[in-house]
Amino acid sequence: MLPQKKIKIALTGGIGTGKTYISKQFLDMGIPVFYADEEAKKLYLSEEVIAFFKEKYESTCFTNNQLDFSKLATHIFSNLEHRKQIEAFIHPLVMQKFENWASQQNSSIVMMESAIVFEAGLENCFDKIIVVDAPLDVRIERIKSRNLQLSEAEIWQRIHSQLPQKEKCKYADLVIWNA
């Protein structure tokens, strides 16, 4: 008997739209969720990724020979060319982890929660894409409440580093309004 093909769903949306809240609703329905940001953060601690950063950005992303996530975030969001290099390296690693994880799930449907499905060119890796959307003022308040260290300028920099919500919604199979 051939293994059943899993339906792969991407849950995406800009920063502060409430993707994690919505993903928990899918978890409650029995759909396993892979959190791409959490897995990417784990990858940043791996020898392979640290070696990549040491080779490319040692002078700008390390403090006391340790990868400095604050410096890294500033570096990623302030330089488009560096962000593209980093994403080209990290995204395939995250997708490989997702594929391995998905193959181990006992569900016929699996979901990846990721803010940058379209930005990373991953839309063809999924059978369906759900975009979570929310009013901009609500998003900004959510971002401020959970990221106290971010300045207003850094928040706007992160919002503008992602594909506009209007575009994401246009490409979605389903939009969930999360005001």
Side-chain angles (χ1 to χ4, degrees):
M1 184 159 127
L2 293 173
Q4 184 181 12
K5 180 186 182 295
K6 292 187 187 291
I7 296 170
K8 296 176 184 169
I9 301 172
L11 182 69
T12 191
I15 185 171
T17 56
K19 294 177 300 300
T20 302
Y21 172 78
I22 297 297
S23 74
K24 290 184 190 305
Q25 310 311 304
F26 284 98
L27 277 171
D28 288 346
M29 291 186 285
I31 297 173
V33 179
F34 178 90
Y35 293 94
D37 284 353
E38 288 178 18
E39 293 303 319
K41 286 176 187 171
K42 291 177 190 174
L43 281 170
Y44 283 105
L45 300 174
S46 71
E47 289 181 31
E48 177 183 13
V49 173
I50 289 173
F52 168 81
F53 281 106
K54 280 194 175 194
E55 179 186 325
K56 300 274 186 190
Y57 311 106
E58 183 165 13
S59 62
T60 55
C61 294
F62 285 81
T63 301
N64 297 326
N65 208 28
Q66 297 289 318
L67 190 57
D68 185 322
F69 290 101
S70 173
K71 287 181 179 180
L72 178 62
T74 301
H75 196 67
I76 288 172
F77 291 108
S78 65
N79 185 313
L80 181 61
E81 191 57 40
H82 289 165
R83 189 172 84 227
K84 286 181 178 181
Q85 285 179 336
I86 292 166
E87 290 172 351
F89 179 73
I90 293 293
H91 293 159
L93 296 176
V94 173
M95 282 308 296
Q96 182 179 24
K97 286 185 81 87
F98 170 71
E99 292 295 339
N100 291 342
W101 172 88
S103 71
Q104 297 170 10
Q105 302 307 304
N106 291 326
S107 175
S108 61
I109 302 171
V110 294
M111 178 178 279
M112 175 194 275
E113 186 231 87
S114 173
I116 56 173
V117 170
F118 296 112
E119 294 87 340
L122 302 175
E123 58 271 20
N124 293 327
C125 298
F126 299 95
D127 299 298
K128 297 292 178 189
I129 298 177
I130 300 172
V131 172
V132 181
D133 198 7
L136 187 57
D137 60 329
V138 171
R139 293 174 60 199
I140 290 170
E141 286 308 311
R142 288 176 181 160
I143 297 165
K144 284 179 179 178
S145 70
R146 72 168 190 240
N147 301 95
L148 301 175
Q149 77 283 4
L150 291 180
S151 69
E152 189 89 15
E154 290 170 316
I155 290 171
W156 282 106
Q157 190 176 40
R158 291 186 182 192
I159 289 171
H160 291 303
S161 73
Q162 296 177 342
L163 188 67
Q165 278 299 112
K166 186 176 183 179
E167 291 295 307
K168 289 184 184 198
C169 291
K170 185 167 77 174
Y171 299 125
D173 294 298
L174 174 68
V175 176
I176 296 176
W177 186 247
N178 187 28

